Amino acid sequence: MPGLAHRHTLYIRCRPAELWAALTEGEQTQHWFLGTVVESSFALGEPVRYLAHRRDDSDSQAEPAEPGLHGRDVEAIHGTIRAVEPQRRLVYEFRFCDLDEPASELEWTISEPTHAPGVVRVDVEHRGFVADSESWARTSVGWPLILSGLKTWLETSSPLIVPLGPLESA
């Protein structure tokens, strides 16, 4: 896929099955993927989407007592599964629902380094961006935070707490 690409490599103290679960279970993505819940069968050609919880304007002064109260889930990202090898590789189309921009492609590759028992290497390549697009700008800021959240979640079972507000590049 031509265009700009983000490439990141992380080493996480976990097993491939734990990383796979964190990538594919909505109960887990909400703790590290900026509060979004992934939904997909993760079968080739099937849809994948990330849902974000939006509070209703009428409830802007108070936090909901339970998830789902005083708000609604909206589709933030959607795409189609392009390749699946459980616990090894996941590739899917990625498009922000609120932007009228071309889709990009996101690839997760999982491996176990022989020199580091109990550690998983994850390579993330997000490719196919148009230069100066809003999608490129969002992901430039978002990926370091998201991947830090993934590592923290898997190694501590606690979400990475970052103050909410506009994300800015350093």
Side-chain angles (χ1 to χ4, degrees):
M1 179 172 257
L4 299 175
H6 298 288
R7 290 179 184 85
H8 301 276
T9 298
L10 293 108
Y11 292 86
I12 304 173
R13 185 165 304 283
C14 70
R15 297 182 318 239
E18 293 169 321
L19 176 55
W20 187 258
L23 296 177
T24 60
E25 296 174 2
E27 302 82 35
Q28 291 198 51
T29 59
Q30 66 185 335
H31 295 290
W32 64 268
F33 204 115
L34 302 178
T36 63
V37 174
V38 69
E39 286 187 351
S40 181
S41 68
F42 292 97
L44 190 62
E46 290 296 312
V48 60
R49 62 191 201 140
Y50 287 81
L51 302 175
H53 187 74
R54 299 283 190 245
R55 289 187 359 196
D56 290 335
D57 291 340
S58 63
D59 194 46
S60 62
Q61 299 300 318
E63 290 293 324
E66 299 175 32
L69 292 181
H70 307 294
R72 58 189 168 84
D73 291 333
V74 296
E75 190 175 34
I77 298 164
H78 73 258
T80 303
I81 302 294
R82 293 187 172 166
V84 179
E85 296 173 51
Q87 299 182 35
R88 296 192 58 221
R89 184 169 173 255
L90 177 61
V91 182
Y92 51 90
E93 180 182 76
F94 182 107
R95 191 175 89 65
F96 289 107
C97 295
D98 65 332
L99 298 178
D100 186 22
E101 294 183 353
S104 53
E105 184 174 79
L106 180 58
E107 180 171 1
W108 301 86
T109 305
I110 302 166
S111 60
E112 293 180 274
T114 57
H115 64 280
V119 173
V120 170
R121 174 182 167 149
V122 59
D123 292 291
V124 180
E125 184 173 352
H126 197 166
R127 56 188 170 252
F129 292 97
V130 174
D132 298 323
S133 67
E134 180 63 21
S135 295
W136 174 256
R138 285 184 188 180
T139 54
S140 294
V141 174
W143 276 121
L145 180 59
I146 291 166
L147 295 174
S148 295
L150 174 62
K151 181 173 174 61
T152 299
W153 173 249
L154 284 166
E155 293 182 344
T156 70
S157 298
S158 296
L160 178 64
I161 306 300
V162 177
L164 296 178
L167 297 176
E168 298 177 6
S169 55

